[in-house]
């Protein structure tokens, strides 16, 4: 218990009287640190003055003002000297913590303001120990702290103080020199063991946990020879005994300590570590003894505790210990305790997934463990245990293949058979887990063995590969039909791994899948298509079509074309195959189909002709796949090149596929020089064809195919000869000189070719395009700028030399063409200027000054690319000025800003564009902007915010947003009042139109400076928005707090919940198992919150057999009958129930009983009608729900209106909305007062024993709704009308009576 700040009872370090902070004097500990004073000068707690005033320039935080503040607060001694004390800082009780120079205790410094008592105690102990070391002239080294803390540990008596000292010792022991620990090991270990023995049964666990961590650190440091001593083993046994402690936190700390010692000792992580730790055998022996003593009886508490230790340490045991421990694990798994079995599975999974050394876990031992695990295979309907078993087997086979590939492959057929049987499980998660496991095992185990498996496969049909594929092929049998989708995934993975090498045995499987695809209502077409696609990709289309013919010949075809689904499958998956096969098989087929289509068209059979035409188009669509990295390009492309050229010229419907094929050939062979040169040979043939197609049509009549042609031209030019390109370019220049009609299309070709020509041709095209900068045709003008852009952006040496030689001329041409530039030409023109500005030599300020107005105006362009280019050019212009004078960056930036702010003298659009430009500049150069420049900009923005032009105000608000983002609180604080005042002074129309921008600014201000400060500076009539912002922020904070509270785990929880598989595809063993922790004894003591179901832990069910044979619980296979999940009850037979008797063979016994009760017949008939009516209503409601219509149940009620005996339907309306009662009431009216209505006469009557009748309208909340007010008004009018009528009648009656008298 903490008795006060910094007070620790006992010890020399605790007896010294340390200094205390005087009330209100904590701020003078570090007088040199003045960041908060500077913030106070700039900002909030002092009177705000307008920017630029003299009062703002002088500091208001003076000695006199502080004295007055202290007098007003009244919490400082009157004799305190206000002069700052020089020399050392003022000593306080926390000085030893705050100025501790040892980095070991940096973590402790975070606890100085913690509310936890233990944290305060740790801070106090560290502060006191630091003061003692300083008084004795120490240097605050780790050794000094270690000695001081050990001395303090002997003197303290209170548990909190001892826990704090041990915590600090645990931190410093990791940094103490190893020689010190080795010399003092006996003393240190004896001290810690004494503390453990004294506090073993203590209520608090912090002392024992810290002590165990200290011992673990000490044992990790000592040499390997020290482990031969009995004292060292005794200390280790002491730590080991706490691994089965009853308290979970102590037990976990001990298990972590043992794991750290076995894995992280210094000699274990050295360059030449031993095979295993000397204490590994002791640990294994301890685990086996504990398990044998407990025997797993009852709740198996101790067994589970030991298994938890074994899970972390088993991979680090020697070979013999691993063997003994695995035998023990297999024995405890026969106890039929699901919890023990689950944790045992975790131990084995961790053993295999850690992949220990071969000396510890050799291949033969792994194989024996795998064979033994088959005896403990759970039932296929026990979902959790089966998933855990599959995960263990997966890890085991992956571990085995790393050591011995042939041994792994010899065991793999048996596992494949066991996994395929899981597809018969009633639990879908079991089948999913089996499919996932098989796919992982095939990829991890078979892929490394492909080379020698290919040789073994050719030797005969008895190889493991044959057995494995026969097993998974058997999954296509009908009894696996519920899991066919998963079986197809497994087959696809196997084809991916071994399809190329072992395709000969897959012919029958491919035929079976094709037959399944053609069956009626096959449900797994997507999975089957993917599997067939994998076969096409990895085996090849030639082999697949030999096994599964396309059945399309063009002669006497079945017009159903049952195998036509293969064409789109092949189109998506063909790659890395033989181009020659397309030439020999598909080209003749496409030609034959086209001939058949033309023939049918002439015969007037349009439907058949259209079908064959579509088929030949689909066949041609396979060509791009064959051109994706073909294996025989050099020999096969020349055979098809002429056909492709003819198709481009004569067949517009095939141009898309042919162009895609050419692009694939080029892009997939950029690194293969031989293939690339083969394709380039045909440039002189293909490029003229492509040029003619592209220039044939007008620009306005172009479709998507023309852009495909353009992209193909660009691709082909990358591999074409420069001489050929130059000859084509000369023809283009001559056409542009002759001013042909299709100049735009010709210029498109010049754009893609200009980067491949020499300087002479560049000069020719430059002379042409400079004249076109002022062309009246906007399209031509834009193309001219695009040609210049390609020239400027080219990286070729010849092009760059041309630009440098014509740089001054380019500047003059671009400045002169500014007036005639069209809006569509702005973006390429600006991109040209960007490249020119990057190349400008120093001293070109006149050119920059000339282009800045254009750049500023383009920031408001409609075109997005033009705006982006304008901002980029703006930054490049400023970078050029900074580059010319790198020593005076701030001065250069000021000069550039002067050029930009000149736009404030222009039109409103120019002013708005200038503000946007300044915003971008301020954001880009936020780090070098000086205070005076920033002050002038903010003052200008405050003035512009008072403008009545909405465009200007919107841009100014954007500047303020950026300002709030880039500036820190202290720098921005001096401008907050003027900014808020300017924003609040907006006109009412602007404030209403720009309320979203204002709200965003207020949110950022409140986030930076708090609600209280901002609300004071806003007028009362505008405070509603700020109040709303505060509410939203508080609501958001509450939601986040609730979310964090729901997600964070309870740190004081002494028992972990069992790990339940929450996903259908768990990734780790912990996600698979339902019960994973062994802390059942502490769970009983913990009270669960109300309203939360307590899951039964360790529950088990016994699956009954079909026969009455007694179970032998000593048989290992009995574990298959013990389930960790409750088995499902057999589903009842669906359909209508009946009261007929049945015979033993299932036949119904129907008798005619004349004297059967008529009421019983009637009730059965009514019930049957109700069931039929309910079914009809459900179907009707489902159909109407799909059509998105309202459900009108009154129409359905007409089905049973004629039968009075039919009872109401199953559906009962209730609630509101679509579930409101809509059935019309039958019988008497249920209106209020209806029971008083006379049957024969008008008006109401009195009834005996009841109140007198009266008229009223029931109170209803819907009557105050404005929308329904008119509908309810009539009731009030009728009521008053009837009352007036009755009153008038009564008055007349009274007058008649008076007259008679």
């Amino acid at each position: 218990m903490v008795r006060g700040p910094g007070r620790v009872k006992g010890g020399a370090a605790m007896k010294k009287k340390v200094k205390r902070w005087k009330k209100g004097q904590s701020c003078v500990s570090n007088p040199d640190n003045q960041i908060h004073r500077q913030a106070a000068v700039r900002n909030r707690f002092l009177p705000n003055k307008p920017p630029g005033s003299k009062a703002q320039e002088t500091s208001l935080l003076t000695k006199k003002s502080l004295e007055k503040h202290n007098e007003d607060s009244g919490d400082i001694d009157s004799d305190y000297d206000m002069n700052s004390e020089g020399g050392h800082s003022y000593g306080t009780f926390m000085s030893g913590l705050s100025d501790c120079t040892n980095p070991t205790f940096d973590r402790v410094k975070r606890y100085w303001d913690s509310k936890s008592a233990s944290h305060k105690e740790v801070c106090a102990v560290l502060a006191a120990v630091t003061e003692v070391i300083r008084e004795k002239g120490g240097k605050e080294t780790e050794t000094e702290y270690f000695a001081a803390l050990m001395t303090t540990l002997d003197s303290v008596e209170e548990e909190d103080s001892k826990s704090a000292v041990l915590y600090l010792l645990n931190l410093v022991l990791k940094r103490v020199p190893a020689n010190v620990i080795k010399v003092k090991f006996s003393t240190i270990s004896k001290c810690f063991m004494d503390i453990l023995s004294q506090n073993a049964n203590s209520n608090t666990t912090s002392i024992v946990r810290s002590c165990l961590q200290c011992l673990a650190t000490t044992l990790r440091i000592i040499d390997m020879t020290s482990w031969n001593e009995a004292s060292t083993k005794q200390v280790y046994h002491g730590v080991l005994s706490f691994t089965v402690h009853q308290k979970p936190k102590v037990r976990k700390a001990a298990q972590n300590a043992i794991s750290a010692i076995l894995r992280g000792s210094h000699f274990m992580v050295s360059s030449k570590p031993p095979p295993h730790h000397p204490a590994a055998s002791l640990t294994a022996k301890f685990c086996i003894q504990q398990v044998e003593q407990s025997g797993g009886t009852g709740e198996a508490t101790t067994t589970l505790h030991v298994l938890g230790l074994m899970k972390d340490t088993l991979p680090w045991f020697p070979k013999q210990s691993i063997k003994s421990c695995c035998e023990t694990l297999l024995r405890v798994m026969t106890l039929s305790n699901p919890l023990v079995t689950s944790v045992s599975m975790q131990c084995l999974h961790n053993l295999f997934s850690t992949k220990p050394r071969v000396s510890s876990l050799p291949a033969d031992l792994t194989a024996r463990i795998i064979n033994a695990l088959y005896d403990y295979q759970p039932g296929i309907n026990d979902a959790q245990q089966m998933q855990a078993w599959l995960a263990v087997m997966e890890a085991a086979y992956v571990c085995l293949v790393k050591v011995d590939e042939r041994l792994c492959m010899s065991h793999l057929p048996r596992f494949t058979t066991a996994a395929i049987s899981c597809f018969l499980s009633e639990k879908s998660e079991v089948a999913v887990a089996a499919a996932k496991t098989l796919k992982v095992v095939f990829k991890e185990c078979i892929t490394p063995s492909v080379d020698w498996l290919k040789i073994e496969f050719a030797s005969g049909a008895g190889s493991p590969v044959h057995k494995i594929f026969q097993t998974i092929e058997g999954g296509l049998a009908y009894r696996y039909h519920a899991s066919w989708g998963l079986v197809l995934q497994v087959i696809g993975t196997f084809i991916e791994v071994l399809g190329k090498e072992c395709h000969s045995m897959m012919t029958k499987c491919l035929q079976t899948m094709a037959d399944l695809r053609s069956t009626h209502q096959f449900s797994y077409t997507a999975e089957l298509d993917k599997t067939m696609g994998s076969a096409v990709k990895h085996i090849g289309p030639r082999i697949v079509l030999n096994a599964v013919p396309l059945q399309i010949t063009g002669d006497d075809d079945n017009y159903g074309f049952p195998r036509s689904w293969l064409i789109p499958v092949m189109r998506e998956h063909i790659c890395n195959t033989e181009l020659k096969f397309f030439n020999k098989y598909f080209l003749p087929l496409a030609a034959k189909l086209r001939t058949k289509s033309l023939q049918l068209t002439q015969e007037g059979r349009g439907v058949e002709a259209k079908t064959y035409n579509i088929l030949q188009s689909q066949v041609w669509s396979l060509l791009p796949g064959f051109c994706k990295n073909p294996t025989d390009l050099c020999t096969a492309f020349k055979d098809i090149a002429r056909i492709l050229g003819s198709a481009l010229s004569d067949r517009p419907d095939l141009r898309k596929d042919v162009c895609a094929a050419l692009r694939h050939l080029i892009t997939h062979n950029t690194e293969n020089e031989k293939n690339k040169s083969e394709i380039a040979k045909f440039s002189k043939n293909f490029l003229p064809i492509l040029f003619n197609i592209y220039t044939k049509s007008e620009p306005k009549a172009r479709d998507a195919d023309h852009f495909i042609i353009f992209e193909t031209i660009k691709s082909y030019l990358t591999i074409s000869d420069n001489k050929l390109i130059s000859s084509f370019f000369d023809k283009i220049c001559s056409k542009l000189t002759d001013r042909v009609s299709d100049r735009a299309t010709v210029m498109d070709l010049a754009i893609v070719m200009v980067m491949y020509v020499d300087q002479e041709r560049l000069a020719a095209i430059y002379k042409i395009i400079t004249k076109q900068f002022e062309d009246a045709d906007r399209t031509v003008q834009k193309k001219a700028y695009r040609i210049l852009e390609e020239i400027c952006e080219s990286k070729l040496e010849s092009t760059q030399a041309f630009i440098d030689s014509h740089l001054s001329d380019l500047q003059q041409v671009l400045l002169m063409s500014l007036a005639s530039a069209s809006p569509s030409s702005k973006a390429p023109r600006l991109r040209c200027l960007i490249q020119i500005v990057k190349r400008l030599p120093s001293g070109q300020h006149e050119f920059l000054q000339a282009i800045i107005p254009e750049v500023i105006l383009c920031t408001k362009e409609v075109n997005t690319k033009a705006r982006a280019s304008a901002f980029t050019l703006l930054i490049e212009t400023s970078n050029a000025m900074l580059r010319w004078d790198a020593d005076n960056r701030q001065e250069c930036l000021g000069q550039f800003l002067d050029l930009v702010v000149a736009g404030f003298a222009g039109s409103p659009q120019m002013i708005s564009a200038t503000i946007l430009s300044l915003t971008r500049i301020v954001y880009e150069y936020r780090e070098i902007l000086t205070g005076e420049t920033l002050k002038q900009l903010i003052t200008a923005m405050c003035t512009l915010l008072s403008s009545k032009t909405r465009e200007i105000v919107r841009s100014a608000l954007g500047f303020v947003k950026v300002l709030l983002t880039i500036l820190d609180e202290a720098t921005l604080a001096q401008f907050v009042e003027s900014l808020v005042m300017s924003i609040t002074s907006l006109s009412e129309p602007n404030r209403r139109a720009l309320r979203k921008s204002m709200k965003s600014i207020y949110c950022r201000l409140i986030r930076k400076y708090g609600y209280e400060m901002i609300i004071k500076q806003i007028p009362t009539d505008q405070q509603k928005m700020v109040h709303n912002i505060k509410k939203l922020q508080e609501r958001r904070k509450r939601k986040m707090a609730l979310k964090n509270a729901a997600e964070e785990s309870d740190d004081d929880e002494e028992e972990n919940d069992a790990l339940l598989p929450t996903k259908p595809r768990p990734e780790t063993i912990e996600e698979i198992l339902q019960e994973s922790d062994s802390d059942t004894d502490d769970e009983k003591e913990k009270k669960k919150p109300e309203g939360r179901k307590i899951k039964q832990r360790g529950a088990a069910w016994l699956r009954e057999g079909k026969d009455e044979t007694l179970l032998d619980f000593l048989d290992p296979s009995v574990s298959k009958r013990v389930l960790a999940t409750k088995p499902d009850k057999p589903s009842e037979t669906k359909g209508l129930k009946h009261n007929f008797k049945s015979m033993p063979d299932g036949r119904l016994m129907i008798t005619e009983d004349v004297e059967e009760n008529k009421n019983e017949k009637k009730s059965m008939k009514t019930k049957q009608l109700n069931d039929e009516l309910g079914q009809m209503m459900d179907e009707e409601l489902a159909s109407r729900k799909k059509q998105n219509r309202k459900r009108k149940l009154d129409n359905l009620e007409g089905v049973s209106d004629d039968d009075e005996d039919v009872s109401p339907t199953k559906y009962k309306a209730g609630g509101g909305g679509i579930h409101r009662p809509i059935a019309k009431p039958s019988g008497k009216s249920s209106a209020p007062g209806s029971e008083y209505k006379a049957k024969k006469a008008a008006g109401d009557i009195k009834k005996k024993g009841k109140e007198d009748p009266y008229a009223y309208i029931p109170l209803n909340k819907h009557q105050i709704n404005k929308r329904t007010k008119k509908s309810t008004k009539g009731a009030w009018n009728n009521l008053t009308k009837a009352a007036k009528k009755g009153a008038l009648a009564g008055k007349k009656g009274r007058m008649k009576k008076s007259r008679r008298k």
Side-chain angles (χ1 to χ4, degrees), residues 1-48:
M1 176 179 179
V2 178
R3 298 180 177 273
R7 295 177 60 188
V8 183
K9 184 177 179 180
M14 315 304 163
K15 295 179 181 178
K16 177 174 176 57
K17 184 176 181 181
V18 295
K19 297 181 180 180
R20 305 275 187 229
W21 280 331
K22 291 184 180 180
K23 191 173 183 181
Q25 299 301 308
S26 60
C27 63
V28 300
S29 292
N30 297 308
D32 294 333
N33 197 357
Q34 298 181 354
I35 57 173
H36 298 290
R37 300 187 184 192
Q38 294 171 0
V41 171
R42 295 190 189 100
N43 188 23
R44 28 196 133 155
F45 309 109
L46 301 176
N48 290 292

Side-chain angles (χ1 to χ4, degrees), residues 22-269:
K22 291 184 180 180
K23 191 173 183 181
Q25 299 301 308
S26 60
C27 63
V28 300
S29 292
N30 297 308
D32 294 333
N33 197 357
Q34 298 181 354
I35 57 173
H36 298 290
R37 300 187 184 192
Q38 294 171 0
V41 171
R42 295 190 189 100
N43 188 23
R44 28 196 133 155
F45 309 109
L46 301 176
N48 290 292
K49 300 296 182 183
S53 62
K54 295 182 179 179
Q56 192 185 28
E57 296 176 359
T58 58
S59 176
L60 298 177
L61 185 61
T62 61
K63 176 180 177 181
K64 184 176 180 181
S65 61
L66 286 175
E67 289 178 350
K68 187 175 185 307
H69 172 72
N70 293 335
E71 290 177 2
D72 295 339
S73 59
D75 55 357
I76 299 180
D77 297 338
S78 58
D79 58 347
Y80 178 72
D81 185 9
M82 291 302 299
N83 294 325
S84 177
E85 298 179 0
H88 297 288
S89 297
Y90 185 79
T92 68
F93 76 95
M94 280 297 184
S95 295
L97 171 65
S98 61
D99 56 359
C100 177
T101 59
N102 197 308
T104 305
F105 304 106
D106 288 345
R107 183 190 302 180
V108 181
K109 293 181 181 180
R110 301 198 301 262
Y111 299 156
W112 72 273
D113 60 344
S114 175
K115 296 181 181 180
S116 173
S118 59
H119 289 171
K120 291 180 180 179
E121 194 72 25
V122 170
C123 294
V125 171
L126 179 59
V129 170
T130 304
E131 289 294 332
V132 170
I133 293 174
R134 289 175 180 172
E135 286 181 357
K136 294 183 179 181
K139 298 181 180 180
E140 300 185 36
T141 61
E142 288 83 0
T143 306
E144 292 173 348
Y145 273 105
F146 170 67
L149 288 170
M150 289 298 295
T151 305
T152 305
L153 186 63
D154 295 335
S155 58
V156 295
E157 298 178 358
E158 290 191 358
E159 291 185 352
D160 291 343
S161 300
K162 188 176 294 186
S163 176
V165 174
L166 286 170
Y167 175 78
L168 295 173
L169 270 172
N170 181 39
L171 293 179
V172 78
L173 271 173
K174 300 173 183 178
R175 295 177 178 265
V176 174
N179 293 331
V180 177
I181 302 297
K182 295 174 183 177
V183 172
K184 297 291 184 181
F185 173 71
S186 58
T187 305
I188 297 171
S189 59
K190 183 178 182 304
C191 178
F192 289 149
M193 291 301 295
D194 293 340
I195 296 174
L196 281 178
S197 61
Q198 294 171 6
N199 298 273
N201 298 319
S202 176
N203 293 329
T204 58
T205 61
S206 57
I207 294 177
V208 179
R209 291 162 59 196
S210 298
C211 196
L212 288 171
Q213 293 171 1
C214 292
L215 279 172
T217 304
T218 306
L219 289 171
R220 286 171 55 193
I221 295 174
I222 61 176
D223 294 331
M224 187 174 179
T225 55
S226 301
W227 285 93
N228 296 327
E229 301 177 1
S231 58
T232 305
K233 296 180 180 179
Q234 185 178 1
V235 173
Y236 183 77
H237 272 290
V239 178
L240 202 58
S241 62
F242 281 90
T243 57
V244 291
H245 196 273
Q246 59 182 354
K247 292 187 177 298
K249 291 184 178 180
V250 175
R251 183 170 63 251
K252 190 65 177 176
Q255 291 176 359
N256 291 338
I258 295 298
S259 180
I261 293 170
L262 296 181
R263 300 166 59 180
S265 295
H266 286 190
F267 55 84
M268 291 297 295
V269 295

